[in-house]
Amino acid sequence: MTGTFRLFTAAVAVMSLTTAAPAKAEALRDVVIIGNSAGGTASFLDGRTFTNLGSVNLIPDLKERLDAMNPIERAIYEIVKQQAGGDKFVDDAHLSPDGRTLYASRGNLGDVIAYDLAGRRIAWRVKLDGHKADHATLSRDGSRFVVSAITAQKSQVIDTATGTVVNSFPTGTYPHENIYSANGERVYNASIGTTSFPKALNGLKGLKQLTVADARTWQVLRTYQFEYGIRPAVITPDERTMYAQLSYLNGFVEYDLVEGRITRTVEMPFSTGGQALNPDQYPQNSAHHGMAMSGDGSKLCMAGTIDDYTAIVSRPGLTTDAFQHYAPKSLPYWATTSIDGNHCFVTLSNTDEVSVVDYRTAREVARVPVGDYPQRERLGRLAEGVIGGLSRAVG
């Protein structure tokens, strides 16, 4: 074989490699991620059939974490645990865009982890400031995970590639929910005030505040003050209106984000059980805790926490269509809209289930067992290749 021919065949080989069809992207499955707070696991429901696909353990290092605490840290951990009503490990969880990594804020452990679903291991862990990690949100490109550091009164911004805190912004007292705007340019943080104080000392609970931060510079753009803590909320895509549940309110408010004022307050009916409670018996000050909006924006889904129902409310009139009632003390505690926009997923924390409610009929179409004390739910896309590695045990 001549040297020229060798060069020619080598060139052809290189051309074949460079012109070969790119590797096919891994298939992704629409899922709903359920954070099972007390159990320390995350369950994955098929986003369209509602089948429980399996779960992962997000506290495989629990003994290591507890053993590493010094006496003061352990004492604070026990105080936080008592105030939270017991072990609350998984507060929030979001999937990376490639569906292979789960980012989770671990409430009472006060940290955030990236869990490699294929390797079944913690890829990185970062401790937040303060002593409790709360609600989180993930940027559309998956590069930034924004988490409330409750006792530090700030939201911290984590680079998901490196697992490091790269920025933060100040919030009100006890920052709670973080929400990206529809266009991804801003993050809204809602604070709830010190929940351990009784309602009679509401004025001492601190700043109950909606904070708006630039999602590029993380500078605070605007704040809104509220009399009571801001619980779950939805913000319209044009960022002109927010619907929010407030501490102690058995209902919700409509809030004008341009004028900075409540335009309507909607009071929902009490159940017999809810009526019998005094406000200081509400779970973490919440009468109602869980809100979502249908895909077409015409309906709101409300979790009636102390009243054991889900209410479907029509916009713009804010009239109640109907209720889906549950057994007493089921504790509906979060709401998320399905990928097709037609169903509302509601966690029933005390029964370890998720109720799937049809927006059009307000009727439950499925009830799915999950893990211990489900709370936050998030939509995501799970890599098909990792489904086989999920635990098939409920949880």
Side-chain angles (χ1 to χ4, degrees):
M1 183 181 292
T2 67
T4 301
F5 186 72
R6 290 193 189 96
L7 290 173
F8 174 75
T9 54
V12 170
V14 170
M15 289 176 63
S16 298
L17 289 172
T18 57
T19 58
K24 187 177 180 180
E26 184 172 14
L28 299 174
R29 176 91 61 98
D30 289 313
V31 295
V32 184
I33 308 142
I34 312 295
N36 302 306
S37 182
T41 64
S43 300
F44 297 91
L45 309 188
D46 186 292
R48 299 181 187 276
T49 69
F50 319 137
T51 303
N52 190 332
L53 301 172
S55 63
V56 292
N57 175 20
L58 293 178
I59 50 169
D61 60 335
L62 178 59
K63 185 178 185 302
E64 178 185 352
R65 297 276 70 81
L66 296 179
D67 289 346
M69 293 179 184
N70 61 41
I72 294 175
E73 291 171 333
R74 185 57 184 263
I76 294 173
Y77 168 82
E78 294 297 337
I79 292 171
V80 171
K81 175 179 173 179
Q82 181 182 28
Q83 291 179 347
D87 283 320
K88 299 292 189 293
F89 294 121
V90 180
D91 194 282
D92 216 335
H94 294 249
L95 272 168
S96 60
D98 67 1
R100 300 182 67 83
T101 302
L102 190 65
Y103 306 112
S105 60
R106 302 197 299 182
N108 294 7
L109 294 177
D111 63 11
V112 172
I113 62 166
Y115 188 86
D116 177 351
L117 292 164
R120 305 183 200 179
R121 64 182 184 88
I122 294 175
W124 55 251
R125 169 185 175 267
V126 60
K127 185 75 171 65
L128 296 186
D129 291 345
H131 308 290
K132 190 173 188 298
D134 211 71
H135 294 21
T137 189
L138 183 67
S139 62
R140 192 177 303 167
D141 65 1
S143 67
R144 294 292 183 268
F145 195 52
V146 185
V147 189
S148 286
I150 279 192
T151 58
Q153 299 188 41
K154 64 175 73 171
S155 279
Q156 295 190 266
V157 184
I158 298 170
D159 182 331
T160 58
T162 62
T164 56
V165 176
V166 293
N167 222 312
S168 67
F169 61 91
T171 63
T173 306
Y174 273 35
H176 202 47
E177 189 170 12
N178 291 287
I179 305 171
Y180 263 101
S181 61
N183 60 15
E185 295 180 1
R186 283 162 291 280
V187 170
Y188 290 76
N189 176 272
S191 68
I192 58 177
T194 306
T195 57
S196 58
F197 290 174
K199 185 180 181 183
L201 297 180
N202 184 61
L204 301 180
K205 286 177 178 284
L207 289 176
K208 284 78 70 177
Q209 174 177 296
L210 183 69
T211 304
V212 188
D214 185 298
R216 183 178 59 86
T217 66
W218 303 107
Q219 296 299 304
V220 173
L221 302 174
R222 186 173 181 180
T223 61
Y224 305 84
Q225 304 305 317
F226 286 74
E227 182 180 5
Y228 293 102
I230 310 165
R231 315 313 299 218
V234 294
I235 295 169
T236 56
D238 62 9
E239 297 178 76
R240 297 182 64 86
T241 304
M242 176 177 72
Y243 297 97
Q245 293 160 324
L246 302 179
S247 291
Y248 308 114
L249 175 63
N250 212 68
F252 65 99
V253 298
E254 178 185 71
Y255 192 86
D256 187 319
L257 291 167
V258 178
E259 297 185 6
R261 64 185 182 91
I262 293 173
T263 51
R264 286 186 282 183
T265 298
V266 178
E267 295 186 2
M268 306 295 284
F270 282 97
S271 67
T272 301
Q275 185 73 63
L277 299 174
N278 71 61
D280 291 330
Q281 292 176 305
Y282 295 172
Q284 299 296 303
N285 305 169
S286 297
H288 285 192
H289 193 284
M291 176 181 285
M293 183 181 288
S294 62
D296 63 4
S298 68
K299 309 279 187 182
L300 295 171
C301 175
M302 306 289 184
T305 305
I306 65 170
D307 299 308
D308 294 304
Y309 60 60
T310 292
I312 300 299
V313 175
S314 285
R315 296 179 65 223
L318 303 186
T319 54
T320 301
D321 296 352
F323 298 90
Q324 171 62 52
H325 293 277
Y326 307 111
K329 299 184 180 180
S330 292
L331 201 70
Y333 212 65
W334 195 258
T336 296
T337 296
S338 60
I339 187 67
D340 64 8
N342 296 327
H343 298 89
C344 182
F345 297 94
V346 180
T347 50
L348 305 180
S349 295
N350 280 344
T351 66
D352 300 342
E353 297 171 308
V354 172
S355 172
V356 186
V357 178
D358 190 307
Y359 272 109
R360 293 162 293 191
T361 65
R363 293 181 178 176
E364 183 179 75
V365 297
R367 182 78 66 92
V368 188
V370 288
D372 189 0
Y373 210 81
Q375 288 189 292
R376 234 67 63 217
E377 310 155 299
R378 302 296 182 185
L379 298 187
R381 304 186 74 198
L382 184 65
E384 290 282 356
V386 306
I387 294 176
L390 300 178
S391 170
R392 290 300 182 262
V394 173

